[in-house]
Amino acid sequence: MVCVRTGVGIDSLPEQVLGSVDPVERVYRALEKIEEAKGLNAFITVDKEGALRSAEELKRRIRMGGKTGRLAGLLVAVKDNISTKGLRTTCASRMLENYVPVYDATVIERIRREDGIIIGKTNMDEFAMGSSTETSFFGPTKNFFDHSRVSGGSSGGSAVSLATGAVEIALGSDTGGSIRNPAAFNSIVGLKPTYGRVSRYGLIAYASSLDQIGPMARDTLSTALLLKVIAGGDPRDLTTSTRDPPDYVEEATSGAKGLRIGIVKEGFMNIDEKISGKVYDAIGVLEKTGCLVEEASFHFLKYALPAYYIIAMAECSSNLARFDGIRYGGRSVEGKWEERVVKIRTEGFGEEVKRRIFLGTFVLSAGYKEDFYMKACRVRRKIHDDFKLLFKDFNALAMPTMPVLPWRIGEIVSPLEMYMMDFETVAVNLAGLPAVSVPAGFVNSLPVGLQLIGNHFEEATLLRLAYAYESETRFTSWLRSPT
Ligand code: GLN
């Protein structure tokens, strides 16, 4: 683990990491681990050359006594929908199989500036549409704890690359749960920031009003560190907030005593008792650390799922219009202009992506816009307002991250059934709130996640809770010993 000591300042982290191990050596070790875990299919592209180049440059600088950044020597895995200059970025789609961006996403620039070493691009659901990484053109990523089961998704590759120990930190994106879901399914930490906290410049959009890039790691402080590096305003994304992010690492270690947590009772309905039992136990741990825990009610939770899918599909149908073989994607095919577009889109997109484009176009169509899209937008406003009321009484809300344990690969065939898996996560995105998933133990040797939801820009509160809980449970050691 990178930064498990209490009270570390982020500037002191590189010394801790680099004190004994040389960055080039670290890259070779990571490459070995990636090779060993190849069967899990966590990576789409491994950038051996690029990583070694960065590590060597850093090593030289350290030797010369030069300045190093906050992430110096840390290995980073990046979800494959985040643009990396000169490094293939596929969105796990056949459409972008050979796409090499000519620029870095803002988050990538910031990671490089702080000397993080990007080792590769991770597997995901195609265009981040899915909950299991099964819709990837490159095949599913396997769950770290049971290789016959799904990794969760859509940031499944990032979560598994962490669980295998290949990298210390990873980037995911979360439109309706894609960071929290695989974090829960692989017993790691995943944080979805407030909408506007992290720049989306260079993130290949799925649903722009819901998407956020966020940090994933095996422990809370590494999560906090990565968030600190990527958060903040960006003139290239005008939806970012210009308010300065706090020092999340320092904030995380400031204790959770006195924080008020509301247990969202609707989040526990129709859930296996063993799963809810683990989540209640985890909340009990927080109570022991001095948090005040009470039941809370969120009546509108059940309407979040239909509203989310209408809005997400509407936005994706528009965002994916650019993949026509002319602006982006595709190969050279013969025929008239329209025929070429049709052919490229038919062959380039997978089944789930096409389903969403169709449905999204439908809910936006002249005759149905009022009944579906506009209604969903009103529900979204109501969900936002209800959350705001709850945050008058509570600092954070708690519920499970996922309603079920990781399922077997191929087990869920109905799209609707798959969408239901996002029941616990999508409301957060509709309201633009931050939320974190932390490991809450195991049921039948499979991981369960506790989800904590905060008010806008209250990532620090969530990290304080996560760190207090981690200090009490040492959850990072559970990675090795599920019970
Ligand atoms: N599972 C959800 C969906 O398919 C969320 C995906 C995501 O957060 N990218 O829309």
Side-chain angles (χ1 to χ4, degrees), residues 127-446:
F127 284 100
M129 297 174 194
S131 314
S132 62
T133 311
E134 289 171 286
T135 70
S136 168
F137 172 64
F138 300 92
T141 296
K142 294 169 184 165
N143 189 284
F144 176 71
F145 294 94
D146 180 340
H147 301 179
S148 69
R149 293 176 188 269
V150 298
S151 60
S154 61
S155 316
S158 288
V160 172
S161 71
L162 285 161
T164 61
V167 294
E168 281 94 18
I169 43 179
L171 288 178
S173 70
D174 192 310
T175 306
S178 279
I179 288 177
R180 292 160 284 157
N181 158 340
F185 275 9
N186 295 282
S187 198
I188 59 150
V189 184
L191 188 145
K192 182 250 166 220
T194 306
Y195 187 78
R197 181 71 297 182
V198 175
S199 168
R200 288 179 294 112
Y201 178 77
L203 170 70
I204 298 174
Y206 159 14
S208 312
S209 78
L210 301 158
D211 298 338
Q212 267 293 283
I213 296 175
M216 302 167 85
R218 285 188 296 271
D219 61 302
T220 308
L221 296 188
S222 302
T223 310
L225 173 65
L226 182 54
L227 180 62
K228 171 68 186 169
V229 167
I230 61 174
D234 177 9
R236 293 178 298 189
D237 173 3
L238 294 178
T239 63
T240 51
S241 162
T242 49
R243 67 164 98 173
D244 274 340
D247 183 334
Y248 291 115
V249 176
E250 211 169 283
E251 291 276 339
T253 54
S254 66
K257 208 165 165 207
L259 290 177
R260 283 167 304 162
I261 301 176
I263 306 183
V264 180
K265 66 170 193 240
E266 290 81 359
F268 289 82
M269 283 172 184
N270 305 320
I271 281 192
D272 186 314
E273 268 176 26
K274 284 195 198 144
I275 297 178
S276 46
K278 283 286 169 193
V279 178
Y280 280 125
D281 287 352
I283 299 168
V285 171
L286 280 168
E287 197 167 13
K288 228 176 77 193
T289 68
C291 295
L292 309 167
V293 176
E294 242 180 80
E295 194 177 83
S297 182
F298 190 65
H299 301 295
F300 257 66
L301 186 66
K302 63 171 182 284
Y303 300 111
L305 199 68
Y308 166 82
Y309 270 98
I310 289 170
I311 292 169
M313 290 180 184
E315 291 187 24
C316 96
S317 70
S318 161
N319 275 329
L320 269 56
R322 72 192 62 162
F323 301 103
D324 52 11
I326 296 158
R327 287 167 293 179
Y328 289 97
R331 301 138 293 117
S332 55
V333 288
E334 297 292 309
K336 287 205 200 91
W337 180 75
E338 293 97 354
E339 285 163 12
R340 271 173 20 219
V341 172
V342 169
K343 195 162 174 4
I344 280 167
R345 285 174 71 83
T346 306
E347 289 174 0
F349 289 137
E351 192 185 319
E352 183 58 32
V353 171
K354 282 183 202 151
R355 174 166 22 252
R356 293 185 190 208
I357 294 173
F358 285 139
L359 287 169
T361 312
F362 173 75
V363 298
L364 288 176
S365 60
Y368 294 97
K369 190 179 78 183
E370 277 300 322
D371 288 348
F372 293 102
Y373 182 70
M374 299 309 279
K375 207 187 249 176
C377 290
R378 284 196 290 278
V379 172
R380 179 179 198 173
R381 168 50 57 181
K382 177 82 183 120
I383 285 168
H384 171 276
D385 294 349
D386 279 10
F387 265 127
K388 284 310 231 190
L389 282 179
L390 282 173
F391 286 119
K392 287 200 163 128
D393 294 328
F394 299 105
N395 299 102
L397 301 170
M399 55 198 232
T401 308
M402 292 298 289
V404 297
L405 296 168
W407 51 91
R408 287 193 187 284
I409 292 170
E411 185 179 341
I412 300 185
V413 285
S414 138
L416 264 187
E417 205 186 316
M418 188 70 87
Y419 302 162
M420 305 277 273
M421 299 300 137
D422 303 331
F423 171 69
E424 309 275 2
T425 48
V426 294
V428 160
N429 301 71
L430 288 173
L433 296 167
V436 67
S437 179
V438 293
F442 290 80
V443 169
N444 305 334
S445 299
L446 293 168

